[in-house]
Amino acid sequence: MVPLSCSGDLVARSGAHLARAFGPDAVLDSNALTGADVDAVTSVLPDVPTVVLSSQDVYQAITALRSGLCEAAVPLDEQAELRRERYPYASRGYAGVPDDYDKLDVEERWLPRGAVVLRLPMVYGPHDDQQREAAILRRVLSGNREIPIGGGTLLWTRAHVDDVASAALAALDNRSADGLAVNIGEERVLPIGTWFRQIADAAGADVSFATVPDARVPVDLSISKNHSQHLLASVARAHELLHWRASDADARVRESVAWHLQNSRFDPWTDDEQARDVAALREH
């Protein structure tokens, strides 16, 4: 859609005209972070098959994880309890995350319109601005031979970005999930500590992982601490309704690591970070 430098009703009328003139066969909303984001476009979009990217952070389990509690049985299916509070990132200052971010607001607007809402897990792969593998790869590139982590037992469903794309296409091709939320993710989920090992192996690194007390785990590796609540999602609905399955996770990790080693610009490893790792390793 062509950006407009108009205002008020003129923008809405012009946007509606452009949308109708374009005549889309389908809509993929990949950037709805807030309810206002949805409100800004629904009045001008035609009634066509729609897929919306949401997040599995809509479940109460994510709040339990951050609180050190265990409140939800896993695997989490689409009927699992949703978050009790709204706007979980308000006033936290996360870059690119508005204070009114909430996928619950997004889902409440799109689902009644018949959209398929894909609830995404931890997404990794090329062009990941969160650089999920960075905590391991920065140490590997700095020449570290031992990495301090926690127990590494957390089960958190993941998905390669290409598999997310194939799920979106499947939802558009197969209309059986219209008006429903659908979890997306890899069916086979290894603990975080094993995933770290996969990343190091994919990078060809000869490193070992040392288990240290949670209080000594470096901040960027805190996902490896001992957590009571898991974020393991059931993807049975995606299999049944969309006839979709994620591809081989081992191969996807290797592809992702290779891409990041070649293309990503990681922050330089610092002396302070090295000192923290060394101090943590003394308590192995």
Side-chain angles (χ1 to χ4, degrees), residues 185-240:
E186 294 168 348
E187 187 174 10
R188 175 172 168 265
V189 179
L190 295 171
I192 289 296
T194 309
W195 182 52
F196 283 173
R197 165 52 62 191
Q198 281 185 302
I199 294 169
D201 288 347
D206 181 17
V207 299
S208 61
F209 291 88
T211 303
V212 302
D214 279 358
R216 303 298 294 183
V217 174
V219 172
D220 62 337
L221 294 169
S222 60
I223 193 175
S224 71
K225 291 181 180 180
N226 295 296
H227 297 281
S228 300
Q229 179 68 61
H230 294 286
L231 296 178
L232 182 66
S234 167
V235 292
R237 178 176 285 184
H239 295 171
E240 178 183 355

Side-chain angles (χ1 to χ4, degrees), residues 23-41:
D25 297 316
V27 169
L28 171 62
D29 190 346
S30 62
N31 197 39
L33 302 182
T34 70
D37 290 339
V38 183
D39 294 338
V41 300

Side-chain angles (χ1 to χ4, degrees), residues 20 36 41 78 97 102 177 187 197 279:
R20 285 192 294 270
V41 300
E78 290 81 1
V97 181
D102 204 314
E187 187 174 10
R197 165 52 62 191

Side-chain angles (χ1 to χ4, degrees), residues 43 51 62 86-87 100 145 149 188 222 233 247 252 258 262:
S43 63
V51 173
I62 191 72
R86 296 292 174 107
Y87 316 117
D100 57 345
R145 300 292 299 275
I149 64 172
R188 175 172 168 265
S222 60
S247 51
R252 287 304 196 184
Q262 184 173 0

